[in-house]
Amino acid sequence: MENSQLSVLELADRRMRWLDRRQQVLAQNVANADTPGFVARDLRPFADVLGDGTGASPASSHVRHMAGTRDPNIALATVTARGPNGNAVGLEDQLMQVADTESAQATAVNIFRKYLALFRLALGRGQ
Amino acid sequence: MDLSKALTISARGMEAQTTRLRVIAENLANQDSTGAAPGADAYRRKTVSFDNRVDRALGAATVRVRQIGRDRTDQPLRHDPSNPAANAQGYVKMPNVNSFVEVMDMREAQRSYSANLSVLEVTRGMLNRAIELLK
């Protein structure tokens, strides 16, 4: 039970977290589609992140600790073309990835929902 | 939460494009604004430059308008002795606004604005879907 069912929920949970984060990175890329010198970023692939946990970050134990601006999980995307102002964000490419992220998130949420429904069924409160 | 950050990032992007559009409108509206005194400079085209900055309160980098600068290219001269801004030789300095450049810029601003809007809509959908897990 612990290993089979719970881990699916945990996996879905991690996947959703990763997708949330990715959506943020992609939103940043699109917002910077006209910023001079900006290069598109992307998260490390989910499979990589899954291997070593969700990526450790320094703890902030004091109010004056600032959140780091560089996330070890974020890498610059490979540059295929640059505009005259040094900007390297392909809008079409980014929007494709946004669509991709959305459908992956729908999948993860549905898996999560289905497993929750299984638990409800076991508890005798299923629909 | 990352999704609400993504919403803010997209909204700031739209804001920046709106400022850009405002500056383009100013440029187009002033493409015939000559100076008041004889030999005075005419309207100088304004330019917008963007910048990606970390917003500490938000905990993420957002785009913003870094500065609204002035285009320093030479202003074209036009022979129009009856104009109050004409110099002794009868030449008037005209604004260095090129309406083709402005219209191209406007198209780009529009395209970026709608890209941000699509990302915002997708993010909102993802957020709603996550919330619906509670049902």
Side-chain angles (χ1 to χ4, degrees):
Chain A
M1 177 74 181
E2 289 257 315
N3 287 329
S4 59
Q5 307 243 321
L6 276 179
S7 71
V8 171
L9 282 182
E10 203 200 308
L11 191 63
D13 176 57
R14 278 220 209 157
R15 177 82 171 145
M16 286 193 285
R17 271 171 214 253
W18 184 83
L19 289 166
D20 284 4
R21 189 97 183 74
R22 182 160 196 236
Q23 182 70 8
Q24 190 200 321
V25 173
L26 295 178
Q28 219 162 60
N29 288 344
V30 173
N32 283 295
D34 298 311
T35 306
F38 187 88
V39 177
R41 281 136 216 218
D42 202 355
L43 281 185
R44 273 169 61 204
F46 181 61
D48 292 3
V49 178
L50 202 59
D52 58 11
T54 45
S57 58
S60 52
S61 52
H62 190 271
V63 279
R64 293 201 149 172
H65 285 175
M66 292 185 293
T69 55
R70 287 210 141 197
D71 190 321
N73 287 320
I74 296 179
L76 296 183
T78 43
V79 177
T80 47
R82 267 184 197 270
N85 61 3
N87 184 282
V89 179
L91 264 190
E92 300 80 5
D93 198 38
Q94 296 301 322
L95 290 181
M96 282 289 287
Q97 290 184 44
V98 166
D100 225 38
T101 309
E102 191 198 16
S103 56
Q105 198 247 9
T107 315
V109 169
N110 275 333
I111 289 174
F112 201 88
R113 195 206 306 276
K114 285 288 173 207
Y115 268 80
L116 279 187
L118 277 188
F119 277 110
R120 285 211 194 99
L121 203 65
L123 290 169
R125 276 185 271 148
Q127 298 94 339
Chain B
M1 182 145 164
D2 289 335
L3 279 183
S4 45
K5 278 185 198 169
L7 284 180
T8 315
I9 292 168
S10 297
R12 296 268 171 87
M14 286 160 70
E15 219 173 274
Q17 297 299 337
T18 311
T19 310
R20 183 184 186 187
L21 214 54
R22 194 201 77 205
V23 169
I24 293 169
E26 280 174 32
N27 286 342
L28 280 176
N30 280 299
Q31 55 181 326
D32 295 312
S33 303
T34 52
D41 270 1
Y43 173 84
R44 270 198 185 279
R45 174 177 174 254
K46 289 180 183 171
T47 57
V48 179
S49 159
F50 297 130
D51 187 18
N52 194 35
R53 272 292 166 85
V54 174
D55 183 330
R56 292 238 187 97
L58 185 68
T62 57
V63 69
R64 52 162 211 162
V65 173
R66 190 179 55 189
Q67 63 162 350
I68 297 178
R70 294 284 187 163
D71 187 340
R72 296 191 188 280
T73 51
D74 284 342
Q75 297 188 325
L77 293 174
R78 195 172 72 188
H79 190 68
D80 183 6
S82 63
N83 195 303
N87 61 12
Q89 286 77 40
Y91 284 99
V92 185
K93 279 186 178 172
M94 295 304 290
N96 52 354
V97 176
N98 183 341
S99 51
F100 290 111
V101 172
E102 299 303 325
V103 170
M104 279 306 296
D105 232 23
M106 187 173 79
R107 286 256 175 256
E108 201 183 47
Q110 185 190 22
R111 198 181 75 134
S112 301
Y113 186 90
S114 47
N116 275 305
L117 189 61
S118 333
V119 175
L120 194 103
E121 276 168 0
V122 169
T123 310
R124 209 187 51 182
M126 286 169 72
L127 208 55
N128 279 342
R129 204 176 293 129
I131 288 170
E132 277 183 11
L133 269 181
L134 291 176
K135 281 188 187 165

